[in-house]
Amino acid sequence: MGRVAGQVRGIAGLIAISLGIGLLARPVSAEDRGAIVLPDVPPIAVPSGQEVHWIDSITDTGGPEGLTLRFRFLAPQIGGPDPIAPDVALEDMAALCESFALPRLPALGPKPAQVVISLSDRVLPFGEADDEAVQYFEAYSVTDGACIWEMF
């Protein structure tokens, strides 16, 4: 699993475009990792039961495998006092790829070569580093309508 603490792995030439596809129309924003208040948007269910919220989606035509769609999620418990273990976070990311990302992939136009799911314990601007942040990243290819884990 790609785990980065204190830095964000990025690819030069990223173009950030909010997809606004599906039920969620705007990104989550917060002053800090404990400040999420979304009365009209429930957390996204994941196998671990931790509270996870969608931050945003980013499309990038310059990914290493071609068109890459990134789905970023806030998961405060991965950096909390009783953190979610990396293997548990991996299961959550696979579930997010299947249940959240796949239904939001474009039906028309080019299909993504890769979907990247990231969990962060706080909301960070895309591409910015924070020495205190805990983040997990996983990459998936999409084959026959399923997310296939790719070693990052």
Side-chain angles (χ1 to χ4, degrees):
M1 172 183 346
R3 179 180 190 271
V4 178
Q7 69 178 30
V8 176
R9 253 188 227 187
I11 299 169
L14 294 177
I15 301 171
I17 300 173
S18 178
L19 291 178
I21 299 172
L23 299 174
L24 302 172
R26 68 189 195 305
V28 172
S29 62
E31 295 288 324
D32 60 48
R33 63 181 161 159
I36 294 300
V37 178
L38 297 172
D40 58 341
V41 181
I44 300 163
V46 293
S48 71
Q50 72 172 310
E51 191 165 304
V52 173
H53 293 274
W54 174 70
I55 297 171
D56 60 11
S57 301
I58 298 170
T59 184
D60 158 26
T61 57
E65 303 298 324
L67 178 62
T68 300
L69 298 181
R70 290 171 173 77
F71 293 85
R72 300 184 331 131
F73 298 90
L74 175 67
Q77 197 171 346
I78 66 172
D82 186 23
I84 296 290
D87 59 325
V88 174
L90 177 64
E91 291 176 25
D92 287 351
M93 287 186 284
L96 287 166
C97 188
E98 293 285 338
S99 69
F100 189 91
L102 283 182
R104 288 162 177 81
L105 296 182
L108 300 173
K111 302 297 180 216
Q114 197 170 60
V115 171
V116 174
I117 303 293
S118 66
L119 299 179
S120 179
D121 71 336
R122 64 199 69 206
V123 177
L124 296 171
F126 183 72
E128 287 192 19
D130 180 333
D131 290 339
E132 300 298 318
V134 175
Q135 298 180 301
Y136 295 112
F137 300 86
E138 281 301 342
Y140 302 87
S141 58
V142 177
T143 305
D144 297 326
C147 291
I148 309 299
W149 178 62
E150 302 285 330
M151 246 184 184
F152 214 1

